[in-house]
Amino acid sequence: METKSSMYLSQFPLWFLCFIITLVSSSAWYDDHISLREINSEENFSFPRNFLFGTASSSYQYEGAYLTDGKTLSNWDVFTSIPGKISDGSHGKVAVDHYHRYPEDLDLMEDLGVNSYRLSLSWARILPMGRFGDVNMAGIDHYNSMINDILRRGIEPFVTLTHYDIPQELEFRYGSWLNPQIREDFEHYADICFQYFGNRVKFWSTFNEPNVQVILGYRKGTYPPSQCSKAFGNCTRGDSDIEPLVAAHNIIRSHLAAVNIYRTKYQEEQRGKIGIVMNTIWFEPVSDSLEDRLAVERAQAFYLNWFLDPIVFGRYPREMRKIIGEDLPEFTRDDLKSSKSGLDFIGINQYTSRYAKDCLHSACEPGKGGSRAEGFVYSNAHKDGLPLGEPTGVDWFNIYPQGMEKMLMYTTERYKNIPLYVTENGFGENNTGVLLNDYRRVKFMSNYLDALKRAMRKGADVRGYFTWSLLDNFEWISGYTIRFGLYHVDFDTQERTPRLSASWYKNFIFQHRAQNDYDDA
């Protein structure tokens, strides 16, 4: 009778040969890919020596440490506890345990060769009760230790004050972003952060993707505080026409207040920069008609320019003023004065692109473009049943590298060549196993970075690129069902395992540095 051990030994040559063939073919694909890039004429390009290459994260998606060291509930802690809100019923109580494991994760970043790390702070960890309570020194000590460790490794911290999460206390007490009081809270919070961390942090972002936060929180109701009108989503309360305008206005005023604090109290001594991070979508007209081309302009006005125009120019976009009229909140004289110096840079989170269809002259349903809150524009990833770019399996996300180049040029031209950082760009895939040979992510990064270079050649002042993300993590309402990491994370053991994309990104950064060294020789 053949034993198990002898059976395995008899099969050893076959499985070993298969392994070697797979390894060699994978390596050949990778080497060929690199060699093709080296001889490509498009590669005659050098990033500036001080260009930032990094990875990006956020406190709720990474940290875990749910109520550790004095942290109180955030809005996302409460939201994820409501059945049905997160696709897999999960939460961020542990996430990837970055709060305790950040030295290990910084080791991974150091090995990659990145020179910057974009992270966000947990507002509820620093000011558990907002301005109605004391500073939590345990939270301050944690971030001080982390920032010091980041800098010790020669990595530049690129810090966001709030990445969707706020103390739930502010929601309970006065309705958070729907109440003008939140400006005082955010100003106080920013002041505390500048005071304790600003002598080492040289890059500050006030908000991450406030356009997403407002649209999903107050128009569609899929993010906290989950408010919307019936035509837009399944909410128990809300007004999708008015509340997003109010929340956005209070966020813009809060940004201006924080910038003013930084400019008047800290910037001269600390010598840092302050900006805001926006989600961007490049819109293509669904047809060549004048109506659809004008719909593209309205789509940008009601998505990106909604926030940036007031900060840069002191007024809402013309398209919004024409459609929304008197329902648009007004800025004070102090707001307008602050807006003259409202940004040192703009952070661009760029993943995907969509078609824009006119709904002013065509019938569309509310929630699908047929309302003034949406600018009478319906955006969709398909035209005549065909997608714009390559689908990924993630419903909101198609691959369209041209959108990166076009978005960077659009922002450059509209906002007077304000310096830009690509603060997020990455490839997500459905959770289908370990998938360490993530060829599609490598191809995605390569193509989007090529598009970034083309924009820089055309004059876009891009000064950094941060991939989302170092690790698989909690992806908001998708929970742990989507993976964006250069490193696979086993969420049961918290083990980090490098994917092919980690090696590719490390090689890309190394080649950039080698090119700079060669140019200096």
Side-chain angles (χ1 to χ4, degrees):
M1 179 177 174
E2 187 178 31
T3 65
K4 286 187 177 180
S5 59
S6 62
M7 180 178 69
Y8 289 151
L9 285 171
S10 67
Q11 293 178 351
F12 174 84
L14 179 60
W15 71 257
F16 185 74
L17 179 61
C18 292
F19 172 78
I20 293 296
I21 292 171
T22 301
L23 186 65
V24 169
S25 62
S26 298
S27 175
W29 179 92
Y30 182 69
D31 291 341
D32 286 348
H33 184 69
I34 296 299
S35 63
L36 283 172
R37 289 174 57 81
E38 286 174 346
I39 64 174
N40 191 329
S41 61
E42 289 288 299
E43 291 299 299
N44 296 322
F45 174 90
S46 294
F47 287 96
R49 175 167 293 281
N50 60 351
F51 192 88
L52 298 183
F53 285 105
T55 63
S57 71
S58 87
S59 57
Y60 190 78
Q61 293 174 275
Y62 262 57
E63 282 184 358
Y66 172 48
L67 297 177
T68 300
D69 293 339
K71 177 187 170 293
T72 56
L73 292 172
S74 75
N75 56 337
W76 274 89
D77 290 321
V78 173
F79 182 74
T80 55
S81 70
I82 303 171
K85 295 297 186 183
I86 309 302
S87 64
D88 60 358
S90 63
H91 49 70
K93 290 183 179 180
V94 176
V96 293
D97 198 25
H98 190 59
Y99 187 84
H100 299 108
R101 294 173 178 264
Y102 74 81
E104 172 189 348
D105 296 334
L106 292 177
D107 286 343
L108 301 181
M109 294 180 215
E110 191 172 12
D111 181 67
L112 283 179
V114 300
N115 58 0
S116 191
Y117 173 35
R118 180 177 174 241
L119 66 148
S120 75
L121 307 177
S122 169
W123 191 343
R125 200 178 293 284
I126 292 172
L127 288 169
M129 303 296 288
R131 62 189 160 94
F132 305 100
D134 296 330
V135 176
N136 178 30
M137 292 309 299
I140 296 292
D141 291 343
H142 168 77
Y143 288 122
N144 269 327
S145 297
M146 187 174 176
I147 290 167
N148 288 341
D149 200 357
I150 293 169
L151 289 167
R152 183 177 61 81
R153 299 163 188 268
I155 299 173
E156 193 78 47
F158 199 108
V159 178
T160 303
L161 291 173
T162 178
H163 192 125
Y164 298 164
D165 55 325
I166 67 171
Q168 180 65 20
E169 173 68 20
L170 307 185
E171 187 67 45
F172 283 146
R173 191 177 285 262
Y174 56 70
S176 68
W177 298 111
L178 293 180
N179 193 310
Q181 288 187 57
I182 192 108
R183 178 178 177 271
E184 297 176 56
D185 262 292
F186 189 72
E187 186 176 30
H188 176 61
Y189 169 55
D191 197 355
I192 294 296
C193 293
F194 300 149
Q195 176 185 338
Y196 283 101
F197 313 128
N199 62 331
R200 286 151 297 150
V201 174
K202 303 307 177 187
F203 296 94
W204 291 101
S205 301
T206 53
F207 291 89
N208 176 78
E209 299 184 341
N211 48 351
V212 173
Q213 181 180 350
V214 164
I215 290 170
L216 298 187
Y218 296 94
R219 183 184 296 164
K220 297 184 178 180
T222 55
Y223 277 21
S226 193
Q227 297 185 200
C228 63
S229 303
K230 292 296 183 183
F232 287 80
N234 184 24
C235 304
T236 58
R237 58 178 180 167
D239 184 338
S240 296
D241 287 316
I242 299 300
E243 287 185 349
L245 303 175
V246 174
H249 194 73
N250 287 327
I251 286 175
I252 294 166
R253 295 190 71 234
S254 297
H255 164 86
L256 293 173
V259 170
N260 186 57
I261 283 280
Y262 189 65
R263 296 253 193 266
T264 56
K265 290 181 62 175
Y266 298 101
Q267 191 169 38
E268 183 177 357
E269 180 180 348
Q270 295 179 354
R271 305 178 68 81
K273 304 292 184 183
I274 189 165
I276 193 169
V277 170
M278 300 298 300
N279 185 265
T280 66
I281 297 173
W282 178 252
F283 295 99
E284 296 280 7
V286 75
S287 79
D288 290 331
S289 70
L290 176 61
E291 291 82 3
D292 287 333
R293 284 185 278 124
L294 290 174
V296 165
E297 295 180 16
R298 294 200 305 278
Q300 290 296 359
F302 278 73
Y303 195 70
L304 177 68
N305 309 343
W306 180 7
F307 288 82
L308 290 185
D309 273 23
I311 293 170
V312 177
F313 304 128
R315 61 182 182 274
Y316 284 111
R318 174 179 54 82
E319 295 87 350
M320 290 194 78
R321 286 182 276 131
K322 183 176 180 180
I323 291 174
I324 304 297
E326 294 182 355
D327 284 336
L328 270 178
E330 294 183 1
F331 293 103
T332 67
R333 287 186 178 181
D334 286 342
D335 294 333
L336 299 178
K337 184 178 179 181
S338 298
S339 71
K340 293 180 180 178
S341 56
L343 288 174
D344 291 322
F345 65 85
I346 299 169
I348 297 292
N349 291 355
Q350 221 294 316
Y351 292 90
T352 194
S353 301
R354 298 171 84 74
Y355 288 114
K357 176 183 179 295
D358 170 67
C359 291
L360 269 175
H361 303 89
S362 305
C364 301
E365 300 175 26
K368 293 187 176 181
S371 69
R372 65 177 190 154
E374 302 159 284
F376 295 110
V377 179
Y378 177 51
S379 66
N380 189 280
H382 291 81
K383 173 183 176 180
D384 300 328
L386 298 176
L388 177 63
E390 179 187 350
T392 63
V394 178
D395 58 2
W396 57 266
F397 183 15
N398 285 359
I399 301 170
Y400 191 68
Q402 304 94 310
M404 169 74 89
E405 178 186 352
K406 293 178 180 181
M407 196 70 249
L408 291 172
M409 294 312 302
Y410 176 88
T411 311
T412 293
E413 291 162 8
R414 187 176 184 91
Y415 297 110
K416 304 176 181 178
N417 209 33
I418 291 173
L420 304 177
Y421 291 86
V422 176
T423 37
E424 286 183 29
N425 172 249
F427 177 82
E429 55 196 348
N430 292 321
N431 186 6
T432 55
V434 177
L435 286 176
L436 297 182
N437 292 327
D438 54 342
Y439 305 120
R440 292 187 72 195
R441 181 172 289 109
V442 169
K443 181 180 177 182
F444 174 95
M445 294 177 70
S446 174
N447 289 340
Y448 272 72
L449 278 161
D450 282 346
L452 183 152
K453 294 178 199 175
R454 291 194 297 271
M456 292 179 70
R457 288 190 193 95
K458 292 179 179 178
D461 186 7
V462 184
R463 301 186 181 185
Y465 171 89
F466 296 81
T467 188
W468 185 275
S469 179
L470 180 76
L471 307 172
D472 296 332
N473 58 82
F474 179 82
E475 286 295 342
W476 306 115
I477 60 174
S478 298
Y480 298 99
T481 65
I482 299 175
R483 293 179 178 267
F484 274 88
L486 302 181
Y487 285 77
H488 172 272
V489 176
D490 183 321
F491 296 117
D492 293 324
T493 66
Q494 293 296 333
E495 182 180 3
R496 282 84 155 123
T497 306
R499 292 189 169 102
L500 177 65
S501 55
S503 298
W504 183 89
Y505 194 38
K506 178 178 181 178
N507 182 74
F508 184 91
I509 295 170
F510 175 80
Q511 286 187 326
H512 152 68
R513 288 180 172 169
Q515 179 65 46
N516 274 332
D517 291 342
Y518 176 80
D519 290 342
D520 289 345

